Amino acid sequence: MASIRRTLSPAFRDRPYVNGVGSPFSVQSPSPKLLSSSRYSPPFPSAILAFTVTIRRFVAGALFHRPNRKGQQWRRVFYRCLLFFFLGILLGLLPFGHVDDDDEIRGRSFNFDIKPSHVNVQFDNDNTDRVVKRREDLVVDVSLGVVESRGELVPRKQLIIVTPTYNRALQAYFLNRLGQLLRLVPPPLLWIVVENKAASFETAEILRKSSVMYRHLVCGNNSTSAKDRGVYQRNTALEHIERHTLDGIVYFADDDNIYSLDLFDRLRDISRFGTWPVAMLAQSKNKAILEGPVCNGSQVIGWHTNEKSKRLRRFHVDMSGFAFNSTILWDPKRWHRPTYVPIRQLDTVKEGFQETTFIEQIVEDERQMEGMPAGCSKVMNWHLHLQAHSLVYPKGWQLQKNLDIVLPIK
Ligand code: UDP
Ligand code: MN
């Protein structure tokens, strides 16, 4: 402001600002409100009065003094610097972020005193405790998205959940069920939902109401081959993650599988590539099988598999039995990948080989894998086949005909 005034011609000096409310900088002498002590006689002792007057002169000198001579200009600049220096110190001393013991304040959700995270604690024997503690976590998560680790606040890793989906009778049930689960996972979590050909109104509505952070993508490829189920859609999500360099743990969660909340907690422990056993309902044999790693601690030492036809696979993992660090997709140097070739699911391989051929692009061998949870002896998700091809799919979930009959109240 002062520099503007200095460039004005003398004729403008004593006039008020045209586009303002009359700036305090245009007054000749310091404001009487600030400086005049003759208007009233405060009942202070003379020492305090003298001190007050000194402060007032100082403030007036720093802010309002008009520059007449060069020496005065320099003094004014000096006073100003000094004033702002002291103001800075005062602001620094203010107790921002501090919460008193006051009960009313303690009850509010913006409490900065973060309780230790309970994410990795085993509560298997005490479910009630777990529920209560998870609630506490959520309060902290919603406001900050951080966890406490050895007394330090560290941002919680983002989860990037990729779900291919399509319109069919059970889609609303599947997507709502998954959405309801994901909203219980502490943030940050991004749900990338991919459809074929076009984004449907039904899917958009479910996502909008889910309260989960999501991106609704569309895949251009319209292959209807049974073996390509979800492959192109997952690739659309991978391209998106790569293009926008999204940072987090990528997990392929089909809409129809069953997931435990515990699984999503554990995904955040993954550094490069995590894998675990999945319980599957084998369609053809009408029995449950287990597919995934056999572990010694977190070291992968073998694989569970039941199907002879798939013995040639290098890794025996289901699509919902692994997750990996997204930076592998777009930061090859960090992971010492020799060449930059986009990592994608392959549409050229036999059914059942999609997982292994994909994983082979991410890791060289089992040494680069993290088996989880330690010992890999816990099932955290189930791959079922609950297709209901004979069920009708009402477009837009409008059941117009059924609503034609209106029964009067008797
Ligand atoms: N999917 C899709 N379009 C299709 C077929 C499947 O988006 O034409 C999705 C489906 O919603 C699911 C995933 O791809 O999320 C895997 O499909 P499905 O459950 O049929 O395969 P399976 O479990 O038998 O491997
Ligand atoms: Mn399925």
Side-chain angles (χ1 to χ4, degrees):
M1 298 299 269
S3 65
I4 294 171
R5 193 157 54 85
R6 240 178 278 136
T7 57
L8 292 176
S9 74
F12 279 86
R13 275 208 184 146
D14 299 330
R15 290 189 197 165
Y17 268 37
V18 185
N19 58 345
V21 253
S23 159
F25 299 106
S26 65
V27 286
Q28 282 281 1
S29 57
S31 155
K33 248 194 172 174
L34 259 175
L35 298 177
S36 160
S37 59
S38 61
R39 275 186 154 195
Y40 53 91
S41 40
F44 294 144
S46 58
I48 296 182
L49 198 65
F51 177 72
T52 322
V53 169
T54 314
I55 294 285
R56 281 177 179 180
R57 277 196 191 141
F58 174 71
V59 171
L63 293 176
F64 306 122
H65 208 274
R66 297 198 49 166
N68 294 332
R69 270 168 289 163
K70 221 174 181 184
Q72 278 183 341
Q73 258 184 35
W74 279 111
R75 204 183 309 156
R76 195 178 55 117
V77 170
F78 172 74
Y79 277 139
R80 248 181 215 188
C81 288
L82 210 60
L83 175 69
F84 288 120
F85 175 72
F86 282 118
L87 275 179
I89 288 185
L90 276 178
L91 282 175
L93 290 176
L94 282 181
F96 288 128
H98 170 80
V99 176
D100 321 40
D101 277 350
D102 191 286
D103 276 349
E104 193 201 346
I105 295 174
R106 222 186 306 151
R108 292 182 198 160
S109 58
F110 51 77
N111 192 348
F112 283 78
D113 294 336
I114 293 168
K115 297 178 181 74
S117 165
H118 302 284
V119 174
N120 294 324
V121 182
Q122 279 283 349
F123 289 112
D124 286 353
N125 302 331
D126 189 350
N127 283 333
T128 350
D129 196 11
R130 183 183 174 128
V131 172
V132 173
K133 285 183 173 155
R134 284 201 60 79
R135 287 271 138 234
E136 284 172 8
D137 252 12
L138 279 179
V139 173
V140 172
D141 297 335
V142 169
S143 52
L144 296 172
V146 292
V147 282
E148 193 187 296
S149 162
R150 291 192 205 100
E152 276 178 43
L153 293 183
V154 283
R156 186 179 282 120
K157 247 185 215 169
Q158 173 164 245
L159 299 182
I160 305 171
I161 310 298
V162 173
T163 302
T165 191
Y166 67 113
N167 293 161
R168 62 205 190 280
L170 292 179
Q171 186 199 25
Y173 164 61
F174 289 148
L175 275 187
N176 274 310
R177 186 180 61 181
L178 184 52
Q180 295 293 314
L181 176 71
L182 295 183
R183 72 187 282 183
L184 295 176
V185 178
L189 180 148
L190 176 65
W191 191 15
I192 301 185
V193 178
V194 195
E195 287 192 280
N196 237 340
K197 285 186 263 181
S200 73
F201 164 78
E202 292 84 357
T203 306
E205 277 293 282
I206 294 172
L207 295 181
R208 203 169 54 74
K209 290 176 184 164
S210 71
S211 302
V212 176
M213 185 164 75
Y214 68 89
R215 293 190 189 175
H216 189 178
L217 306 184
V218 176
C219 157
N221 196 297
N222 53 8
S223 158
T224 47
S225 161
K227 78 175 168 65
D228 297 335
R229 276 189 301 252
V231 166
Y232 299 112
Q233 283 144 279
R234 291 190 200 99
N235 281 344
T236 300
L238 291 173
E239 266 170 45
H240 184 85
I241 294 167
E242 199 179 292
R243 188 167 347 113
H244 298 282
T245 58
L246 301 183
D247 197 349
I249 300 295
V250 182
Y251 178 50
F252 297 123
D254 287 353
D255 57 5
D256 57 331
N257 293 338
I258 316 278
Y259 308 91
S260 66
L261 198 49
D262 186 36
L263 168 65
F264 294 91
D265 281 345
R266 292 187 193 268
L267 291 183
R268 293 203 157 103
D269 297 336
I270 294 171
S271 162
R272 179 188 184 123
F273 178 95
T275 181
W276 57 92
V278 175
M280 305 176 70
L281 197 62
Q283 237 167 347
S284 48
K285 294 176 188 142
N286 203 18
K287 67 171 184 181
I289 59 167
L290 200 64
E291 193 167 82
V294 178
C295 305
N296 179 10
S298 62
Q299 194 190 354
V300 177
I301 54 170
W303 300 97
H304 293 288
T305 188
N306 289 23
E307 298 196 38
K308 276 189 196 140
S309 61
K310 293 178 184 168
R311 291 240 166 108
L312 290 173
R313 293 186 298 188
R314 173 69 182 84
F315 304 117
H316 299 267
V317 193
D318 182 66
M319 197 64 84
S320 62
F322 68 92
F324 57 95
N325 196 317
S326 70
T327 56
I328 297 173
L329 299 173
W330 46 263
D331 192 0
K333 267 195 214 146
R334 174 168 164 189
W335 300 98
H336 310 293
R337 272 175 59 211
T339 51
Y340 181 74
V341 181
I343 295 176
R344 297 288 182 267
Q345 301 214 338
L346 308 178
D347 57 350
T348 48
V349 293
K350 269 206 306 183
E351 195 177 354
F353 282 70
Q354 254 111 16
E355 292 91 341
T356 186
T357 49
F358 180 76
I359 295 168
E360 284 163 41
Q361 300 169 60
I362 298 181
V363 291
E364 285 160 31
D365 55 35
E366 283 81 354
R367 281 173 302 173
Q368 293 178 341
M369 294 184 171
E370 299 141 54
M372 47 181 266
C376 300
S377 52
K378 194 170 169 185
V379 170
M380 300 187 286
N381 62 297
W382 294 260
H383 184 164
L384 311 178
H385 295 275
L386 301 174
Q387 291 310 325
H389 297 293
S390 52
L391 286 182
V392 286
Y393 173 68
K395 257 222 153 300
W397 296 99
Q398 302 285 321
L399 302 171
Q400 210 55 51
K401 282 204 172 140
N402 297 1
L403 301 175
D404 279 352
I405 307 158
V406 178
L407 288 178
I409 302 167
K410 284 172 191 162

